[in-house]
Amino acid sequence: MLKMHVRDKMSTFSWFLILAGVCTTTSSCLTDEGSLDDGGWSTSKKDMLAVPGPCDIEVRDAKGLSQQEFLNRYAYDLPVVIRGATDNTVFQDQCRKENMMKDYASKRIKLSSANTHSYEKVEVTLQEYVDKYLKPQTLKTLGNETFYWFGDNNFTEWQSLIDLYQPPPYSVPDMTGAYSFGLAGAGTGVPFHFHGPGFGEVVFGRKRWFMYPPNKTPHFHPNRTTLQWLHEDYQELHPLERPLECTISKGELIYFPDRWWHGTLNIDTSVFISTFLAY
Ligand SMILES: *[C@@H]1O[C@H](CO)[C@@H](O)[C@H](O)[C@H]1NC(C)=O
Ligand SMILES: *[C@@H]1O[C@H](CO)[C@@H](O)[C@H](O)[C@H]1NC(C)=O
Ligand SMILES: *[C@@H]1O[C@H](CO)[C@@H](O)[C@H](O)[C@H]1NC(C)=O
């Protein structure tokens, strides 16, 4: 019932977008469901300073990707985008703005500065975050002067939400996952950094991922944002120096192997969850 209702609303909205000239055909509006169902975390068009790029990371449908193949081909060697891995409808619904503000507005979250080393931390409630910090990134703001929520949750307070998450159905031998849940404005992101392997999943919005293998250190300034890097450095890169990249949307997973450099950029206001793997 609820699904039908949302669908009806979406197609009306699609027609509205066509009439408003945002999409040219019904299919261009309808196929990109992720950008339509933003869970109430809306983004105005003028605030979108970045667009999705090409996708040159392998994209696999979970139906055709066994755990064995994941291990042989990707786990230690290559990033991969995986579609249709889990049904996280229940978790997604709880992450809609209206539900989050109803149940979690007073919960505390820890914000980190959006530079490579994330030195600075601030603790606020979700309500304060949404009122004061959740803004689109501008091209002028530096990463070390931007606070954004990308994890570091108090799991006593957030357990009931995280419990609804169906984790990625692939694993790396002897490693276990720790979750990191976040919400951030259009144009925000984390500049290049690396750590152990893990998965990133977009709950609402779209996230553009840039990656380099461990032996190919990218050129970037640790206090400048991914948005600044995209506008300043990315354009100038020789084709052979370009990162691997892909933009993932609602319900899609991306896997990054151990020590692979990655930088992220939220195209829209985005809700996301990562699973960091460790021994
Ligand atoms: C942020 O980084 C820039 C450049 O690295 C530096 O000039 C500035 O003082 C830093 N801002 C703060 C608040 O530390
Ligand atoms: C980045 O910013 C931090 C604090 O905001 C500062 O201590 C550090 O020196 C800056 N790094 C560079 C390379 O400018
Ligand atoms: C986490 O939240 C609980 C419940 O509000 C609180 O008692 C605890 O001190 C918090 N832990 C940290 C590390 O902030």
Side-chain angles (χ1 to χ4, degrees), residues 113 115-117 119-120 142-145 221-224:
S113 56
N115 49 344
T116 292
H117 307 294
Y119 323 79
E120 310 290 338
L142 286 169
N144 58 324
E145 294 170 357
H221 186 296
N223 284 343
R224 297 187 74 72

Side-chain angles (χ1 to χ4, degrees), residues 5-50:
H5 180 63
V6 170
R7 242 174 224 291
D8 288 343
K9 255 203 195 144
M10 274 184 8
S11 50
T12 313
F13 184 56
S14 302
W15 280 110
F16 166 76
L17 290 176
I18 291 166
L19 294 172
V22 177
C23 349
T24 47
T25 63
T26 15
S27 67
S28 72
C29 275
L30 288 172
T31 50
D32 197 1
E33 254 183 48
S35 64
L36 281 181
D37 182 10
D38 62 12
W41 301 105
S42 60
T43 309
S44 93
K45 216 163 176 255
K46 69 168 177 25
D47 292 329
M48 289 180 44
L49 300 182

Side-chain angles (χ1 to χ4, degrees), residues 181-243:
F181 176 79
L183 156 67
T188 58
V190 188
F192 282 109
H193 65 287
F194 64 84
H195 41 68
F199 295 91
E201 177 164 345
V202 167
V203 185
F204 288 110
R206 290 169 295 174
K207 195 190 279 283
R208 187 167 169 184
W209 286 74
F210 302 96
M211 293 199 206
Y212 283 101
N215 61 359
K216 215 162 180 243
T217 304
H219 170 78
F220 67 100
H221 186 296
N223 284 343
R224 297 187 74 72
T225 62
T226 314
L227 186 65
Q228 289 169 330
W229 172 84
L230 180 71
H231 282 254
E232 294 158 8
D233 302 77
Y234 177 89
Q235 319 295 337
E236 306 298 321
L237 293 173
H238 183 276
L240 292 174
E241 299 298 314
R242 288 260 167 88

Side-chain angles (χ1 to χ4, degrees), residues 23-234:
C23 349
T24 47
T25 63
T26 15
S27 67
S28 72
C29 275
L30 288 172
T31 50
D32 197 1
E33 254 183 48
S35 64
L36 281 181
D37 182 10
D38 62 12
W41 301 105
S42 60
T43 309
S44 93
K45 216 163 176 255
K46 69 168 177 25
D47 292 329
M48 289 180 44
L49 300 182
V51 293
C55 180
D56 42 29
I57 291 174
E58 290 185 22
V59 178
R60 299 292 303 267
D61 193 297
K63 278 196 211 79
L65 179 62
S66 63
Q67 165 65 17
Q68 192 57 49
E69 193 191 350
F70 172 75
L71 270 186
N72 295 345
R73 184 162 177 79
Y74 304 108
Y76 304 102
D77 301 306
L78 276 182
V80 59
V81 169
I82 306 168
R83 294 191 172 141
T86 42
D87 176 2
N88 261 311
T89 322
V90 174
F91 177 68
Q92 279 158 1
D93 274 339
Q94 189 58 49
C95 293
R96 290 178 187 283
K97 186 174 186 182
E98 129 180 65
N99 294 335
M100 283 206 35
M101 298 322 281
K102 181 156 62 69
D103 296 340
Y104 298 98
S106 64
K107 301 288 184 211
R108 282 169 304 150
I109 60 178
K110 207 177 275 171
L111 311 183
S112 307
S113 56
N115 49 344
T116 292
H117 307 294
S118 305
Y119 323 79
E120 310 290 338
K121 306 266 180 192
V122 183
E123 206 176 87
V124 297
T125 62
L126 176 61
Q127 185 73 56
E128 284 173 276
Y129 179 62
V130 168
D131 294 343
K132 294 187 200 144
Y133 293 87
L134 183 61
K135 293 196 176 78
Q137 183 74 291
T138 68
L139 266 170
K140 284 194 210 115
T141 329
L142 286 169
N144 58 324
E145 294 170 357
T146 306
F147 281 100
Y148 119 76
W149 181 25
F150 57 75
D152 229 337
N153 308 305
N154 178 330
F155 281 100
T156 317
E157 300 199 334
W158 290 91
Q159 192 71 47
S160 61
L161 176 64
I162 304 299
D163 279 349
L164 300 175
Y165 182 58
Q166 297 292 320
Y170 299 96
S171 57
V172 178
D174 302 322
M175 298 189 103
T176 51
Y179 302 124
S180 173
F181 176 79
L183 156 67
T188 58
V190 188
F192 282 109
H193 65 287
F194 64 84
H195 41 68
F199 295 91
E201 177 164 345
V202 167
V203 185
F204 288 110
R206 290 169 295 174
K207 195 190 279 283
R208 187 167 169 184
W209 286 74
F210 302 96
M211 293 199 206
Y212 283 101
N215 61 359
K216 215 162 180 243
T217 304
H219 170 78
F220 67 100
H221 186 296
N223 284 343
R224 297 187 74 72
T225 62
T226 314
L227 186 65
Q228 289 169 330
W229 172 84
L230 180 71
H231 282 254
E232 294 158 8
D233 302 77
Y234 177 89

